[in-house]
Amino acid sequence: MFSITLVNIDSYQTSPVPELDVTFSEFRGSEVKKVPIIRAFGSTATGKKTCLHIHGVFPYMYVACTVRENTDSYAYQLAAAIDSALNTSFGSALSSSQHVYKIQRVSGIPFYGYHEKEHLFFKIYFYNPAIIKRTADLLQNGAVLNQTLQPYEAHIPYILQFMIDYNLYGMNLINLNSVKYRHPLQGCAREDSQSRSTMDLLDTQTYLPISVTRQSMCELEVDVHASEILNGQGVTKNMELNPGLAAIWDEEKARRAEAGLEDAKSQLLYPKTPSKIILPPTSSDLFQEGQLLKRLNAISQ
């Protein structure tokens, strides 16, 4: 297992890597040209700075399924209509660019109003998270299929959506089943014994093709498919604590155990206040004190 602490996360668009990304959309029947990649920076348990590229995470939103029959055919029409509306909004009405990766039919309870039963929804995946807001506006304005469609979860930012789905939290560990390493930059390898031992260790791991170049100067740069993320396995229906707070409580329990406070009644104890060193007043302190006393005496008279 490979783990790093999540310190900074962003995303970028790039050509798909065949070893980790989809290169052909079965739903659209076309080649995939660009895919979103989530990039995270952090460090391993041993302190090695790491750049992590996460593949296979597409931004998405939901819209209600308004038809009862031929839903598959309607999904294809919806994808084509969204592509057309987006291209028109970009000023390229004749463009054949595709923005929708695929559409899946799912069921769930609508957020708005009261509903006893689950409803059918279309889960729409996109290639680029930057067009989610524009797509939501087009759906609500009736620019798609001449219908006003209510988008769901379109307001959630791409990175936050990813972290929610995979049970990830800032400054917490992301646990990965396996990763693939990128080759080090030419001329950046050091010749000391520590560097050589690190390279010997990496020689036993799986590398991506040398055509997949590094983007950072971190000691390690690795790639992983989202299906290798293990954090979601810790989520259960009967959890006592918010998973995001569980790690904080674990750290507090470890601190209390180290300080011998396991049997103390208070759950949280402040650290002891360090002893204060009283220094003699300086000449500036004495001068300012004298000026203050003069003004106070003048006011009191």
Side-chain angles (χ1 to χ4, degrees):
M1 186 175 70
F2 186 90
S3 301
I4 69 167
T5 301
L6 295 176
V7 178
N8 182 274
I9 306 179
D10 61 9
S11 66
Y12 63 95
Q13 298 289 123
T14 188
S15 300
V17 178
E19 288 80 3
L20 294 168
D21 294 307
V22 292
T23 58
F24 186 83
S25 172
E26 297 290 344
F27 179 83
R28 306 307 303 273
S30 61
E31 181 182 355
V32 176
K33 298 180 180 179
K34 295 289 183 180
V35 293
I37 305 295
I38 293 177
R39 178 173 50 198
F41 293 91
S43 59
T44 64
T46 57
K48 296 183 184 298
K49 300 298 185 292
T50 305
C51 177
L52 171 65
H53 303 265
I54 304 172
H55 301 250
V57 181
F58 291 87
Y60 61 85
M61 69 171 66
Y62 298 91
V63 296
C65 178
T66 58
V67 297
R68 296 183 178 274
E69 298 179 354
N70 300 324
T71 55
D72 292 339
S73 176
Y74 182 81
Y76 291 113
Q77 295 177 20
L78 179 61
I82 292 175
D83 288 339
S84 177
L86 284 170
N87 290 332
T88 301
S89 70
F90 288 131
S92 304
L94 300 179
S95 174
S96 60
S97 298
Q98 294 184 348
H99 305 279
V100 177
Y101 166 50
K102 66 178 180 180
I103 297 180
Q104 291 180 336
R105 188 177 60 181
V106 298
S107 61
I109 301 293
F111 180 81
Y112 303 104
Y114 173 75
H115 305 272
E116 293 183 352
K117 299 180 180 179
E118 291 186 343
H119 292 225
L120 288 179
F121 288 86
F122 286 121
K123 188 175 184 179
I124 309 172
Y125 293 88
F126 296 87
Y127 290 117
N128 192 340
I131 64 172
I132 295 295
K133 176 64 169 60
R134 182 185 291 263
T135 304
D137 292 339
L138 292 173
L139 290 169
Q140 290 178 310
N141 294 334
V144 178
L145 295 176
N146 294 321
Q147 300 179 26
T148 300
L149 299 173
Q150 171 64 55
Y152 294 83
E153 298 193 14
H155 64 289
I156 303 178
Y158 174 51
I159 298 298
L160 179 59
Q161 193 177 63
F162 159 71
M163 297 184 72
I164 292 173
D165 290 343
Y166 290 90
N167 190 33
L168 300 173
Y169 306 89
M171 299 307 296
N172 207 342
L173 289 175
I174 176 172
N175 301 316
L176 309 169
N177 184 43
S178 63
V179 297
K180 291 190 176 183
Y181 291 84
R182 296 195 181 193
H183 289 271
L185 294 172
Q186 295 293 333
C188 291
R190 296 176 300 175
E191 295 299 331
D192 55 21
S193 59
Q194 181 180 1
S195 177
R196 287 196 299 270
S197 63
T198 300
M199 294 306 300
D200 291 340
L201 174 63
L202 295 183
D203 285 340
T204 63
Q205 307 297 332
T206 303
Y207 277 93
L208 286 171
I210 198 169
S211 58
V212 183
T213 59
R214 285 194 173 213
Q215 297 183 3
S216 73
M217 298 298 293
C218 294
E219 185 173 0
L220 299 178
E221 188 156 349
V222 298
D223 291 65
V224 67
H225 191 272
S227 60
E228 299 289 337
I229 299 176
L230 304 176
N231 295 67
Q233 298 179 0
V235 179
T236 61
K237 294 183 178 180
N238 299 322
M239 296 189 68
E240 297 180 358
L241 290 175
N242 182 328
L245 300 177
I248 298 177
W249 281 106
D250 290 340
E251 291 181 1
E252 174 61 15
K253 290 178 181 178
R255 184 190 71 81
R256 288 166 55 80
E258 184 178 354
L261 301 174
E262 297 92 338
D263 299 329
K265 294 182 180 180
S266 176
Q267 292 181 329
L268 292 174
L269 296 178
Y270 294 101
K272 296 181 179 179
T273 303
S275 58
K276 297 181 179 179
I277 301 176
I278 301 177
L279 299 175
T282 64
S283 58
S284 177
D285 294 334
L286 296 175
F287 174 78
Q288 295 295 338
E289 183 180 0
Q291 293 296 317
L292 177 61
L293 291 175
K294 288 181 180 179
R295 297 196 62 178
L296 292 176
N297 291 332
I299 294 174
S300 61
Q301 292 178 357

